[in-house]
Every structure is written in structure tokens, then in C-alpha cells.
Amino acid sequence: MGSYVLRRVLQMIPVFFGTTLLIFVMVYSLPGDPVTALFGDKAADPAVVASIKHTYYLDQPIWKQYLHYMGNLFQGDFGTSFTGRPVSDIMADAFPVTIRLALMAFVFEMVLGLALGVLSGLKRGSIADTLVLILTLVVISIPVFVLAYIAQTVFATNLGWVTPTVQDSYDLTQLVLPATVLGSLSLAYVARLTRTSIGENLRADYIRTAVAKGLPRRTIISRHLLRNSLIPVVTFLGTDLGALMGGAIVTEGIFNVQGIGNVLYRAINQKEGPTVVGIVTVLVIVYLVASLLVDLLYAVLDPRIRYA
Amino acid sequence: MTTVIENNQKNDRLEVGTPLLEVKDLHVEFHTRDGIAKAVNGVNYSVAAGETLAVLGESGSGKSVTAQTIMGILDMPPGKVTQGQILFRGQDMLTMGNEERRKIRGQKIAMIFQDALSALNPVLSVGYQLGEMFRVHQGASKKEAKEKAIELMDRVRIPAARQRVNDYPHQFSGGMRQRIMIAMALSLQPDLIIADEPTTALDVTVQAQVMDLLAELQAEYNMGLILITHDLGVVADVADKIAVMYAGRIVETAPVHELYANPAHPYTKGLLRSIPRLDQKGQELYAIKGLPPNLLKVPAGCAFNPRCDVATDLCRTEIPALHHVTDKDGKELTGRRSACHLWKETLHG
């Protein structure tokens, strides 16, 4: 077990270098010059451009830039954005917002998704089941930005319960609507996955044994059925936590949430290499850690899986 | 190591020979997309305390469906009991409430399944699954339940039971898993055990061990046993009487040795001829021609007639009743019945 975790952590090292290099190269090979773009329509003074380029190390060949960036990174310096703010500052502002948003979306999709999935899985063919199937299908087929605009129109414009966009990104109550929209797609997947899994396990031989043992229905469901049925759902939920954090770009944009997604979007547009690489690197690490935790949880849920 | 047993010694244990279970005119159907499959068509059998009834038949003969109906674990739908009674100690289980029925399961009637690996929950330790019987039915504490689980594992001769109680089903061998299933079925000393092909998934040497254990424990606790199998070899040593099923009907019943010595139904005869024997070495092994009938369209008359060597026109039109069977002098043979129009010829000819 310990050696397995160690091996997985060691595996993260090449993944870390690979991602940073890849993102670095991709950002720097984007067409256009970020520095001249800073001047907008105005003509840029070549001397100023050269000086800015020198400050940001942009006048060096790309491999030198990368080494320079990595060198700084290992000293805890994520670099500086074009506005002059350290990237670590920007991330320290934005990540807490996105983490809150993602966690709220995660809790929403997990609790409601599991509940709906268990309900429809146990009562296959019932009205509730059909309703869950139709609703989840609708959610899956509608793109998230459409869903976001519908939610805005209904809850802000028509009902007036919330403001259309988030005014204060640190206010949890304002994040409820964006979080719901963000989590809805995964909720539909969780519900359907749980439903299928429950349906399959209901027909399993060991459930028949549990009935033959004279166990009450409640015990059969909670002790014998749920644990077995949740194994695939846990896998999905774990990897989804990482995806929720990185995948909030559209939702954050529509609801004006000042999180990682918004910052990343702006940074990509302005080709701010250090910001993009910094954020993506952190997201990749979050993703790797989440999937390691899922794999470990897997062994807890299913004793047939052993890591050595 | 018999303390589990002594602790729960039930006062209401029945004398040997007292009727325990009676299945009367049971009909079960399955509603499928292709039509109604009549899986069980008027089955009658009974088991007394201390007695072993072997139910013999091919796949699809209705032997397992009957057992599942008795146990109350038939999938409904698609399954449906359309007619009949299942009397347990004189009470019809089919008209009981769910809760009353549940209390019989596990405590009074227990079941052993064919494939212990899939019948045991893969994510719970065997100790938990054994102890669960005591916790649910007797309100035992976690610790008591575990102790009793260890005693049970000892009782069915699992080596180092105390060390292995927290192991999971996949960590045991096939024979041990089946012994754990047996331990689970025996845990509350039920009046009746239904064993659905308990040894089919095991290799031959282990089969014998498991059957011996089952027979020994049955005799010790004076339980009724319904042994469902397609294996004539398993039956011979342990059963008292045999019911042979074909296409959802009982075609012959007899005390075990009489059936082997002198079958009264062509199907039974065919089954016995298809057992490999040492003195037939080198000869071609007999096989009953044809296939078991499709339950969606069972042949008219006797369901066995298309495969039968001696079928007459009568066999193709009229379903034979389960006749009482007499010896050559016309004296009725107790416990012997045959659902063949030509039982006389089959038995005496």
C-alpha cells in the first residue's frame, strides 16, 4: 500500500514536467505578439516593446524561457503577469473562489445524483424512474451555457431571487446558482450511473442470498446493495472533482465569478504564458491527486482490489 | 464447538418423520416477451423432518423455480405463482404477509446456492455475512455475532477459523466457500434446508466432502433437506426419496434405491442409462435423444413423447396422470408414482 502510493507520487513527476512543457510550448506558439497587443491600436515604440520583452524574458529562445520559468518555479515563483501582479497572488485570489464553487457543485451532484439514481434504480419502470430518465437526458443534451442562460432568465430576471451575475465571488449564497448549473451535467451522469449500477446489482446472486437469509429490505439495500453499486460511481465522482475545477470556465464567465476559469480565459486571450502555465499545472496536480485518492478509495470499497 | 447449537436449541424441534413442507399443485409461469413460459405445472411433493428429498431434472425442468418459490426468492415479475399452496408446518406460505414470510427465511427454511462465489457478497467479510444471521434474527451484538461466526466456521471445518473470520469470500477455495454457505444456512438451525445444486461448481473430490458434511449435519440436527440436482451420482448416497421432474412436472417419485433398481418412467430409465459405468468401458455412452422442450411450447400430451422410445398415440394427445405404481401382483408400492401411460410396461416389461 505505502509503496503503491509512493510509486504513484513518483509517477506524477514526469507528468508534471510533461504538462508544463506542453502548455508552455503551446502558449508561446500561439500566433501574434502579446507585447505589441498590449498597445492595442496605438503604434508601439520599439524601444519600449524591447524593454518589456526583456523584463518578461520574451527575447530569449523558448528553451531558455522554459528553463528560466522552471528554475523560478522551483523557488516558489510562478512568475509575473503583464499587469505586474505575481501569478501566485492572482491564483491565491481566484482558487478559493473556484474551490468553493466546485465543492458546492460537487456536493449538489453527489447528494442529489445519488438519491435520484438509487430511487430510480430501485423502482425501475415507475413514474419516478421515467421522470429521472427524461430529466437527466434533457440536462445531458443541453449545452451548459444554454442551461446557464435559462437559469439566469428564470431565477434572476423572472423570479428576481438572485442577481443575474455574481456581485461578490466570496459570498457563498451568490454562488448557489452557478454551482447548480455547473454540477447539473455531472448530476445527470451520476444519477444514470447509479441507476444502472443498482439495477445490475439488484439481480446479483448475493442479493438473492441476502433475501434468502431473511434480512429486512432496509438492511439488504443499505448493507448489501449500495456498497457494491457505488464502486463505479465513486470513480466517476473522484475524477469529476478535478474536472469541475478546470471546467468552470464557461459557467464562471456567464455568472461573472472571479475564479480560476475567468482568470484563465483572460490569460489565454492575452497570451500571458506564466499565468496559463501556472494555473494549468496546479489543475493537473489536483487532477492527479484526486485520481490517486479515488484509486485508494476503490480498495476500501472493494476488498478484492489490493495494491502492492 | 457445538455451543452455538446448544445455545439456540429450539424447543419446537420436530420429531423425525413429522411432515414439514408440502407443496400442493404448484403452478408458476414466467411472462416473457415471447409469451408465457409455464415453468412449473402442478408440482406436488412433501418433506418430513429428518428426511432428504432429491429433486432431479435437467435445466429448465422447473426444479430450481419450485425451490425459489418455496424460499420466496422468485423474481416476480416476470415470475408468477398462478395456483397452488406451499404448506410449511401446515401454514400456507403463499398467503402470508411479507414480514411473516421473511421471518421464516433463514430461521426456519434456509437455502444453499450453487455458486458460492457469486452467492456471497464480495465486499463483506465472511465473518460479517455469517454473523449477520445472529445480529438480524437474534439481536446479537457485533462481538457475539463474530464469536458465533467463528464457531460455525469451525463446525464446517474451515481451518484456522479465528484467523480467517475477517477474510473475504475470494480468499477462500471453492470447497471452503461452499462450506461457508452451508454454515450460513445452518446457523439458525432451520427446520428445512434447500440445497440447489450445492456441489455442481466443485470438483469431484470436494463434492464428496461437501455432501458428506451436509448429510452429517442434517442427521445431527434432524433437518429436512431438499436436494436439487441433475447429478444422479450425488443423490444415491444421501437421499431418502427422489422426485424426477421434466418440463415443470413430476414424472416419477420413488424411494431412492427402488428408483435406481427399477425405474417406472422412460425418462428416468434414460437418465440412469446415461450414467457412465466401468463395466461399459469402450462402449458408446447412451444419451437421451433430442433436447428438453421449449417451455413456451411444450409438446401436447406427455411432454417427453418426442424423445421417448416407446411413445404411443395416446402419449401424443393425453397428459398422463401421476399414477400409483403397483408390483407384479397388483400390490401398491408405497411412495412410488409414475406419470407414464406405459408405466406397467416400463416397470415390469
Side-chain angles (χ1 to χ4, degrees):
Chain A
M1 180 79 169
S3 71
Y4 174 78
V5 175
L6 187 72
R7 218 165 50 223
R8 284 287 298 264
V9 172
L10 289 177
Q11 277 172 8
M12 288 182 189
I13 295 171
V15 176
F16 169 78
F17 282 107
T19 352
T20 46
L21 181 63
L22 216 68
I23 302 292
F24 205 86
V25 171
M26 284 201 287
V27 172
Y28 282 80
S29 57
L30 283 174
D33 179 357
V35 182
T36 11
L38 284 176
F39 290 88
D41 292 338
K42 278 182 264 174
D45 178 351
V48 178
V49 171
S51 123
I52 295 178
K53 279 199 174 177
H54 184 71
T55 324
Y56 289 101
Y57 239 75
L58 292 173
D59 51 353
Q60 301 289 329
I62 184 159
W63 63 270
K64 267 196 177 168
Q65 291 187 33
Y66 180 70
L67 289 183
H68 174 72
Y69 177 80
M70 292 307 279
N72 282 341
L73 196 61
F74 280 105
Q75 292 162 33
D77 179 6
F78 277 91
T80 321
S81 84
F82 290 151
T83 57
R85 269 188 91 193
V87 173
S88 48
D89 259 20
I90 299 178
M91 290 202 288
D93 273 353
F95 260 113
V97 174
T98 296
I99 289 172
R100 276 174 223 183
L101 186 69
L103 281 181
M104 283 169 76
F106 184 72
V107 170
F108 168 69
E109 75 176 53
M110 184 172 70
V111 174
L112 205 61
L114 281 179
L116 289 178
V118 171
L119 176 81
S120 64
L122 288 177
K123 307 224 177 257
R124 271 194 178 215
S126 67
I127 297 175
D129 179 34
T130 317
L131 215 62
V132 168
L133 281 181
I134 294 174
L135 278 178
T136 50
L137 186 67
V138 168
V139 171
I140 290 171
S141 11
I142 297 180
V144 66
F145 64 89
V146 176
L147 214 59
Y149 286 129
I150 293 175
Q152 257 180 352
T153 313
V154 172
F155 294 103
T157 316
N158 296 351
L159 294 171
W161 291 354
V162 288
T163 49
T165 52
V166 173
Q167 308 299 312
D168 175 5
S169 296
Y170 288 92
D171 182 355
L172 283 183
T173 53
Q174 294 199 28
L175 288 181
V176 170
L177 191 62
T180 312
V181 170
L182 180 63
S184 58
L185 178 64
S186 302
L187 180 143
Y189 283 124
V190 169
R192 285 184 161 242
L193 198 57
T194 312
R195 174 185 183 270
T196 314
S197 186
I198 292 250
E200 262 169 32
N201 282 297
L202 259 182
R203 285 193 300 272
D205 284 355
Y206 59 82
I207 294 295
R208 204 181 49 182
T209 310
V211 177
K213 280 162 88 175
L215 306 181
R217 193 175 154 77
R218 210 167 357 98
T219 315
I220 295 173
I221 292 172
S222 62
R223 280 278 156 193
H224 291 264
L225 180 60
L226 274 186
R227 188 159 161 194
N228 284 289
S229 307
L230 287 187
I231 296 172
V233 185
V234 165
T235 322
F236 176 81
L237 280 173
T239 45
D240 197 47
L241 187 60
L244 281 177
M245 297 197 38
I249 297 181
V250 175
T251 318
E252 288 189 357
I254 292 173
F255 288 98
N256 185 39
V257 179
Q258 297 305 311
I260 247 28
N262 242 335
V263 174
L264 192 60
Y265 180 69
R266 218 166 30 221
I268 292 172
N269 269 336
Q270 296 179 354
K271 278 178 278 169
E272 270 187 24
T275 317
V276 177
V277 179
I279 289 178
V280 173
T281 307
V282 173
L283 285 178
V284 165
I285 290 172
V286 168
Y287 215 95
L288 290 176
V289 171
S291 60
L292 173 61
L293 288 180
V294 167
D295 286 346
L296 295 182
L297 193 59
Y298 221 80
V300 175
L301 282 175
D302 190 339
R304 284 167 297 183
I305 296 169
R306 279 276 162 267
Y307 298 120
Chain B
M1 279 303 159
T2 50
T3 41
V4 179
I5 313 315
E6 279 150 17
N7 289 347
N8 322 332
Q9 198 58 271
K10 286 179 194 149
N11 309 326
D12 62 339
R13 192 147 285 287
L14 295 172
E15 292 286 311
V16 177
T18 327
L20 211 51
L21 182 92
E22 265 181 282
V23 178
K24 285 187 171 171
D25 194 28
L26 186 70
H27 289 254
V28 182
E29 294 175 354
F30 285 97
H31 292 251
T32 68
R33 210 173 292 171
D34 304 322
I36 295 172
K38 298 194 169 191
V40 178
N41 305 301
V43 162
N44 291 284
Y45 60 60
S46 68
V47 191
E51 185 180 52
T52 300
L53 165 72
V55 181
L56 206 73
E58 293 166 299
S59 323
S61 60
K63 56 194 198 302
S64 287
V65 174
T66 312
Q68 285 171 10
T69 313
I70 296 170
M71 204 63 210
I73 54 170
L74 188 69
D75 285 330
M76 296 196 280
K80 198 179 169 203
V81 179
T82 50
Q83 204 180 313
Q85 283 181 314
I86 297 175
L87 302 178
F88 177 68
R89 292 180 160 201
Q91 261 192 307
D92 186 3
M93 292 203 293
L94 293 176
T95 57
M96 275 180 193
N98 281 338
E99 191 56 19
E100 208 178 339
R101 190 95 194 262
R102 176 178 78 75
K103 286 188 172 144
I104 291 179
R105 284 200 283 269
Q107 290 195 85
K108 304 281 187 192
I109 306 180
M111 188 150 176
I112 298 168
F113 295 96
Q114 176 178 346
D115 182 1
L117 181 60
S118 64
L120 291 167
N121 193 326
V123 305
L124 299 173
S125 71
V126 296
Y128 182 90
Q129 294 187 60
L130 286 168
E132 201 175 25
M133 300 296 282
F134 301 101
R135 291 175 68 181
V136 167
H137 291 289
Q138 297 179 343
S141 73
K142 234 176 176 165
K143 228 177 124 190
E144 288 167 354
K146 194 172 172 179
E147 282 306 310
K148 288 188 172 184
I150 294 170
E151 284 177 33
L152 275 172
M153 285 167 75
D154 263 331
R155 189 71 195 80
V156 294
R157 300 182 205 124
I158 306 273
R162 190 165 291 277
Q163 282 86 51
R164 304 213 62 182
V165 67
N166 291 324
D167 282 0
Y168 293 90
H170 69 278
Q171 292 167 299
F172 290 87
S173 70
M176 280 203 250
R177 275 196 290 265
Q178 194 55 279
R179 277 182 276 164
I180 287 165
M181 279 294 327
I182 292 175
M184 194 143 72
L186 285 165
S187 54
L188 302 175
Q189 292 178 65
D191 294 331
L192 177 68
I193 288 205
I194 302 173
D196 190 354
E197 312 234 5
T199 59
T200 309
L202 305 174
D203 57 52
V204 183
T205 46
V206 183
Q207 270 184 15
Q209 291 169 14
V210 167
M211 276 323 296
D212 287 348
L213 176 70
L214 195 58
E216 176 195 317
L217 294 168
Q218 181 216 1
E220 187 172 331
Y221 305 141
N222 188 11
M223 294 175 299
L225 175 66
I226 298 179
L227 183 66
I228 294 160
T229 182
H230 62 255
D231 187 344
L232 281 157
V234 167
V235 173
D237 300 328
V238 285
D240 297 309
K241 58 184 188 183
I242 295 190
V244 182
M245 284 187 75
Y246 189 81
R249 287 172 200 278
I250 289 186
V251 293
E252 180 169 5
T253 63
V256 64
H257 297 297
E258 290 181 41
L259 185 119
Y260 276 84
N262 218 349
H265 195 285
Y267 177 58
T268 319
K269 224 172 181 169
L271 284 181
L272 291 171
R273 273 185 66 192
S274 50
I275 302 176
R277 280 164 37 176
L278 278 178
D279 57 4
Q280 287 177 335
K281 203 172 165 188
Q283 293 172 40
E284 196 180 332
L285 185 63
Y286 176 82
I288 303 175
K289 64 183 185 198
L291 293 168
N294 178 351
L295 291 177
L296 291 169
K297 37 176 206 262
V298 176
C302 172
F304 186 61
N305 82 66
R307 303 173 72 185
C308 184
D309 293 330
V310 295
T312 63
D313 284 343
L314 181 66
C315 301
R316 286 182 264 276
T317 51
E318 199 179 305
I319 298 176
L322 195 55
H323 300 283
H324 285 280
V325 172
T326 55
D327 65 11
K328 278 182 180 143
D329 310 324
K331 212 174 97 209
E332 197 172 297
L333 297 162
T334 41
R336 293 213 64 172
R337 297 280 201 96
S338 168
C340 180
H341 293 302
L342 306 166
W343 64 267
K344 259 182 206 151
E345 292 81 343
T346 313
L347 186 63
H348 305 305

